[in-house]
Each structure stands twice: as structure tokens, then as C-alpha cells.
Amino acid sequence: MKVFTYHRMAASVAIAATLAGCAGGDDSTPAANGNNTVASDSTSRTELSAADVPTTVQSTDYRAGAAAVLATENALANATDRIGAAKNIILFVGDGMGVSTVTAARILEGQMRGVDGESNQLAWDRFPFAALSKTYSANQQTPDSAPTATAMVTGTKTNDGVLGVSQQVRRGDCASTFGHELVTALELAELAGRATGVVSTARITHATPAATYAKSVERDWEDISDMPADAIAAGCKDIADQLVHFEQNLEARFPGANVDGIEVVMGGGRRHFLPKDAAFNSGDEISAVEGDRTDGRNLVAEWRAMYPAGQYVQNKAGFDALGDGATRVFGLFNESHMQYHKDIAKDRQGEPTLSEMTAKAIDVLARNEKGYFMMVESGRIDHGHHGGSAYSALTDTIEFAHAVQAAVEKTDRPTP
């Protein structure tokens, strides 16, 4: 399930229902109205409200539901002239979070808090609208994260396994990349002078976050060691390289553009940015040699050289030390994916939670008066399902809901 949060001069999304009834069609078929009298006009149609239902048959759930419907209808009616183009957009992606996962997480979260789980609400349950989407890719009924994330940020369906490029490419064929690059929402925000951010609990070079900034005919080309020699020779760049050099790449694609690069990058995946040399280990590595890069390059050092005022962090202490004045942050909190939320305390050097990263990212991005675009992914819900661990998937979903709530509390939406 993909959860979209639009805020500040934009509507949010959730479920709304309407409660209405109609009177009988002739004098012999009476209908009760608000005064408990008979509507006898055969040409009229009487719309009923919750108040028309006798209180003796109104349950607590009925009254609460009716009040929620009325509040939503009033908010929409009163806010119509206030809702315009969004200043800021946050795209939340719960990877692998289907309807059944949401239901189970909603119940579990309520039970963990000691309340009725079935009637509990997660953050997005309180939005006024909800929607379902079809998630097939251009060449498969069951897609992977690469084409689905690409579709979300470009509006274009593409083939399985490719990122930020159209369906005219051939997976794994570097030469087919050129001329078929798509434009993402993050890139449009950059070109418009807005701030941008990418946050994930997966490797930041993994398919969903990479779709916002990379152009690749193979989602697995996360660093140069993953690429075949012919692709390197043909001029394709690995995904980590494209992230660090995003600013230059975008300006090269749009001559005359002057962008300032992605302000916030936080997630896992340090190994794809570091040389394959134990001298560059980070202190909480899980491998004897943390880095995977076979070209000898240290992309963290390259990022620091390009953005000397930026702050690179790799553990919870570094994250917590980020001051109110932070304007650019590069956080890589694990060699591979970040910990499941249930295991976060086991990390040797500590990791921030998804809700903490979301809140901090908003603080940094909100400095841009023109607004911002940010993608936030809970990437390990899917991994929990793949691993057969319902508890991992559900507790990551609950933390994802906490991240959405953190964003709601950090932002403002139209007030009727």
C-alpha cells in the first residue's frame, strides 16, 4: 500500500462515506424526518441525516461514524477555496504493506497500547480519503519495487527491474538507457528551486529510494562491483555514484539548470559507497571488509568534498548531534539495510527510528521557503514478509504509521 501525504495548502487522503436516506415515493409510504412527521409530498425527495435516526437505535459506533462523516463533509465544503497547489509534498511508501498488513498492524498497535485493536486507527486511517491502485508493471502482472516506485515518481509505467527509465529500454543493456530517461517528482522539485530529501530504512541505493534520483536499466547495479564490464565501458554509472553526483547529472541533462542537490539522504547501504578495503570500515560493520566498491573510490569523501557545509552521520550519536542549523545531511546508518524496528536496540552503534529520521528531515527541508519534496520509505515491511516474520513486518508497519504521524505534527494543512 502506498500512502500519500500532501500538506500545507493541500488535501490529505483517507476514507469518507456518506449517510443519506430518501422518503417514500407517495403518500402511502411515509418517511420520518427530523421532526418525526410524515413527508407526504409525492414529488419531493427528503434527505435524512444522522439526527433523523431515532436515538433508541443509534449505537455508539453509529453516532461516532455519523459524526466523522459530517466532519469530513463540512471540512471539504469549507476548505474548497483554500485548497490549492501544494507547497510541500511528502510521499510515504510502505513497501510490501498490503491491505491485510495494514489491518493486522492496526489491531496489533491497538493491543500493544491496551485498547481495542479492531477499532484502533493508524495515522492514515484518520485522513479524509483513501484510494487503491493497480500495481502491475509494463511487462509483468506482478511487479517489483523498481517499476512501481518509478511509476509513483514519474507517472509512467515501466518494465520490471529498471529505474527511472521508460519501457523502451532493455533490462541490463546499458546502451538502451540513453534517451529514455524519465523525469521524477524529486527532479522537478530540484529544477523548481525546492529542497529535496530521500529517507528509507532499506539501503538508500535500493529500488524504491533509487527511483527518485537514478537512471538504471538494472536495479541491482547498486555499486560498480555489481556491474558487468560492458556496462561500465558503455558509460553507465552505478546507483551510489548517481546519488552522490545527482546535482551534476541533473544539470547535465537540463542545460542551463542550476540546482543545489539533494539536501537530505538517510538510510542504510554504506557498503556501496566505500572502497573494498578494511581501512574504511565504519565501526559497526558486519563483514570483515565493509565496503564493496572495486574502483577504490570513497563516495562519502567525494560527497564531503562537494558539500563542505554538509554533515555526514553514521550512527545514533551523530544523528542526535545534528543541530537546528543543519542544512544538508547524509546519513548511512548500516552496512546494508537498517535494522528492523524491533531489533533497533541491537545495533552496535545505534540507529535512529524512521519517525525520528522523518521529523529531522522535515526540519532541514523546511528551511527552503519555496517548499520541498521528500520520499520516505519503510522498506523492511516487505523484508519481514519475505522472511516469514509477521512480527517484523507488523512492527515496522506500526513505526511507519508513527513516521506519518510525525509528519502530520510537523506540518500544517488547510484549516476550514
Side-chain angles (χ1 to χ4, degrees):
M1 177 176 286
K2 317 303 180 183
V3 179
F4 301 78
T5 300
Y6 299 88
H7 55 85
R8 195 174 184 85
M9 298 301 291
S12 301
V13 211
I15 296 177
T18 56
L19 175 67
C22 58
D26 54 47
D27 292 352
S28 63
T29 312
N33 60 21
N35 297 318
N36 293 320
T37 59
V38 175
S40 60
D41 184 353
S42 62
T43 63
S44 69
R45 175 184 175 90
T46 304
E47 297 294 332
L48 304 182
S49 69
D52 296 302
V53 180
T55 56
T56 55
V57 299
Q58 288 185 12
S59 67
T60 300
D61 288 343
Y62 184 97
R63 290 193 295 272
V69 169
L70 182 62
T72 298
E73 290 177 341
N74 289 339
L76 290 174
N78 295 332
T80 299
D81 61 346
R82 298 169 182 246
I83 300 174
K87 177 181 178 181
N88 309 312
I89 297 176
I90 305 176
L91 168 61
F92 281 96
V93 182
D95 196 346
M97 193 181 76
V99 173
S100 57
T101 302
V102 172
T103 301
R106 179 188 299 122
I107 294 170
L108 176 61
E109 199 268 348
Q111 292 174 341
M112 292 170 70
R113 292 193 297 107
V115 301
D116 173 22
E118 287 74 11
S119 62
N120 183 45
Q121 288 187 319
L122 298 175
W124 51 79
D125 292 326
R126 294 185 287 272
F127 291 172
F129 298 106
L132 299 176
S133 63
K134 296 178 179 179
T135 56
Y136 61 92
S137 64
N139 65 339
Q140 288 187 194
Q141 288 182 341
T142 303
D144 68 24
S145 295
T148 50
T150 296
M152 281 189 284
V153 297
T154 70
T156 302
K157 284 189 178 294
T158 191
N159 298 334
D160 269 46
V162 304
L163 295 164
V165 290
S166 71
Q167 60 188 270
Q168 282 72 37
V169 305
R170 294 175 297 279
R171 183 173 182 176
D173 179 1
C174 172
S176 70
T177 306
F178 309 112
H180 295 122
E181 299 91 341
L182 300 172
V183 182
T184 72
L186 184 144
E187 291 170 333
L188 289 174
E190 278 286 321
L191 293 167
R194 288 167 168 76
T196 54
V198 185
V199 176
S200 178
T201 54
R203 294 192 297 271
I204 205 65
T205 50
H206 216 234
T208 300
T212 65
Y213 61 82
K215 316 298 171 188
S216 180
V217 292
E218 177 50 68
R219 60 171 287 177
D220 293 333
W221 290 352
E222 294 186 60
D223 72 67
I224 196 168
S225 70
D226 301 318
M227 299 178 66
D230 61 344
I232 298 170
C236 282
K237 301 294 184 182
D238 64 81
I239 294 169
D241 182 296
Q242 291 187 56
L243 174 58
V244 169
H245 295 280
F246 170 83
E247 180 178 343
Q248 300 93 309
N249 294 339
L250 188 59
E251 289 179 346
R253 287 175 53 219
F254 293 91
N258 182 21
V259 302
D260 60 0
I262 305 172
E263 281 82 2
V264 176
V265 175
M266 289 191 282
R270 273 196 310 262
R271 72 190 194 199
H272 298 300
F273 297 84
L274 300 175
K276 195 170 185 177
D277 183 338
F280 294 91
N281 286 2
S282 301
D284 66 346
E285 63 281 348
I286 57 177
S287 305
V289 178
E290 181 176 23
D292 281 352
R293 300 195 66 87
T294 52
D295 56 3
R297 293 169 61 196
N298 182 340
L299 296 186
V300 171
E302 292 182 21
W303 183 88
R304 282 173 153 166
M306 285 187 294
Y307 304 109
Q311 299 181 60
Y312 171 72
V313 292
Q314 62 182 33
N315 52 42
K316 185 64 161 62
F319 177 86
D320 290 342
L322 292 170
D324 294 336
T327 57
R328 189 180 299 271
V329 178
F330 188 18
L332 295 174
F333 301 108
N334 202 294
E335 175 182 326
S336 184
H337 302 302
M338 292 179 67
Q339 300 281 354
Y340 286 115
H341 185 71
K342 69 180 181 63
D343 297 327
I344 201 165
K346 298 178 182 179
D347 191 82
R348 287 165 56 190
Q349 292 195 9
E351 296 178 356
T353 65
L354 183 62
S355 53
E356 288 172 334
M357 291 192 293
T358 299
K360 176 58 67 175
I362 291 172
D363 288 342
V364 175
L365 298 176
R367 294 178 176 278
N368 188 316
E369 294 183 356
K370 291 184 177 181
Y372 59 82
F373 171 87
M374 176 170 66
M375 192 284 295
V376 178
E377 182 202 25
S378 181
R380 306 223 63 196
I381 300 171
D382 190 46
H383 299 163
H385 285 311
H386 282 301
S389 174
Y391 190 69
S392 296
L394 297 182
T395 49
D396 269 43
T397 302
I398 292 169
E399 173 58 19
F400 181 53
H402 294 167
V404 172
Q405 184 60 35
V408 169
E409 294 172 0
K410 281 277 185 180
T411 56
D412 50 358
R413 291 177 287 169
T415 301

